[in-house]
Amino acid sequence: MTESTRIALVTGASRGLGLVIARVLARRGYSLVIGGRERGALDSAAVELSADAPAVRPIPGDITDAQVRVAMIDAARQLGGLNVLVNNAAQLGPVGPLQTFDVPSFGRLFPVNVGAPLVLTQLALPLLVERQGLIVNITSDAADAAYPGWGPYGATKAALELLTRTLAAELREQGVSAVLVDPGDMRTRMHQESLPGQDISDRPLPEITVPFWNWLFDQDPNAVRGERFGAQHEDARWLQRV
Ligand SMILES: NC(=O)c1ccc[n+]([C@@H]2O[C@H](COP(=O)([O-])OP(=O)(O)OC[C@H]3O[C@@H](n4cnc5c(N)ncnc54)[C@H](OP(=O)(O)O)[C@@H]3O)[C@@H](O)[C@H]2O)c1
């Protein structure tokens, strides 16, 4: 590993979209800090990613746990810094109509989907400033489409979108950029759990987003500041910018 080795932190990288993003970064030569709660799955991901990444540091635990977030940033610092922070970990449920929504459940959704990404960003900022880095926050079309049953989840993603655009503006002076990425419908555990018993085999696997990630990580972070991208081929507006 050299001083110029780039480093990325990806939350929720033990499976699904986060693991796909981590694979792209590993193949591009990034060292990685990865997170997720299930230790076994996270360790398996770390072993796999180590085939390409110069170094991989799995930090198991819940993203709402302050000690876990500090351990992630410490791990990045020990690797040498941070170029890319991907806030990917999220939860979708509880799912159901707003008229009967158990409002105290917001107590879990907002800390996971909004609070944790913001605190992690705050902690990561000194490292991101040093390397003029990029924050990538994963959103969803549920942020503005009124999907019945997904209102609480959509509200968290709408909040994350506003925070991300605000951060992009506030961090301009410090040379740190932030973008939003909507990965589109994908066949993952989260998606299946939100549609219990339904056949979701028509949804693509998260690997469909690989060309987008390769494109994004080729960009000057300043040139994409504050933008919102759809990552699937059928929404390839980003391709028109090449
Ligand atoms: N799938 C879709 O159709 C779709 C569409 C639009 C947007 N998205 C967004 O894409 C992102 C990834 O979702 P996915 O579909 O890839 O889901 P997934 O396959 O269920 O993966 C979620 C990842 O996040 C981790 N995670 C979840 N809650 C966590 C917590 N509290 N603390 C730490 N890690 C946690 C999971 O590991 P553990 O469970 O072991 O913690 C896992 O690694 C999310 O932000 C989601 O909102 C997905």
Side-chain angles (χ1 to χ4, degrees):
M1 205 168 12
T2 67
E3 259 188 32
S4 60
T5 300
R6 290 170 300 173
I7 297 135
L9 192 171
V10 185
T11 67
S14 57
R15 62 171 188 267
L17 179 67
L19 180 54
V20 166
I21 299 169
R23 282 188 188 126
V24 168
L25 289 161
R27 286 181 194 135
R28 296 174 72 90
Y30 282 73
S31 288
L32 294 170
V33 180
I34 58 171
R37 289 164 301 177
E38 276 175 46
R39 186 170 209 135
L42 190 66
D43 286 345
S44 301
V47 169
E48 182 209 312
L49 294 165
S50 298
D52 292 308
V56 182
R57 300 281 182 270
I59 307 292
D62 197 302
I63 196 65
T64 61
D65 180 336
Q67 287 182 339
V68 170
R69 294 187 298 247
V70 168
M72 287 178 146
I73 301 303
D74 283 348
R77 192 177 295 110
Q78 280 160 18
L79 288 172
L82 193 63
N83 298 81
V84 176
L85 167 64
V86 184
N87 285 305
N88 166 76
Q91 78 175 51
L92 199 154
V95 171
L98 288 175
Q99 54 195 306
T100 53
F101 177 61
D102 172 40
V103 173
S105 302
F106 264 135
R108 177 76 188 154
L109 272 170
F110 271 93
V112 174
N113 295 359
V114 186
L118 181 55
V119 179
L120 199 57
T121 299
Q122 292 169 339
L123 290 173
L125 207 51
L127 299 182
L128 289 167
V129 169
E130 261 174 37
R131 293 197 173 208
Q132 302 287 276
L134 175 68
I135 301 158
V136 180
N137 285 345
I138 304 298
T139 186
S140 163
D141 61 347
D144 68 4
Y147 292 125
W150 288 18
Y153 167 72
T156 64
K157 291 297 191 183
L160 184 68
E161 293 209 2
L162 184 68
L163 293 187
T164 307
R165 289 198 303 274
T166 307
L167 276 169
E170 289 178 352
L171 298 178
R172 179 184 296 276
E173 291 286 297
Q174 293 164 74
V176 175
S177 185
V179 294
L180 287 158
V181 178
D182 172 6
D185 272 12
M186 302 171 298
R187 201 185 325 150
T188 64
R189 190 188 299 182
M190 174 190 280
H191 202 97
Q192 184 65 75
E193 284 176 355
S194 68
L195 300 168
Q198 279 193 40
D199 179 10
I200 63 162
S201 59
D202 59 335
R203 273 69 160 188
L205 291 168
E207 281 75 6
I208 194 170
T209 63
V210 166
F212 168 75
W213 296 113
N214 276 312
W215 174 83
L216 180 66
F217 297 132
D218 275 343
Q219 305 309 302
D220 170 359
N222 268 307
V224 290
R225 168 184 309 283
E227 294 207 45
R228 184 188 193 283
F229 297 102
Q232 293 204 21
H233 293 297
E234 56 264 34
D235 183 20
R237 279 167 291 184
W238 45 274
L239 274 178
Q240 294 159 16
R241 297 160 48 107
V242 178

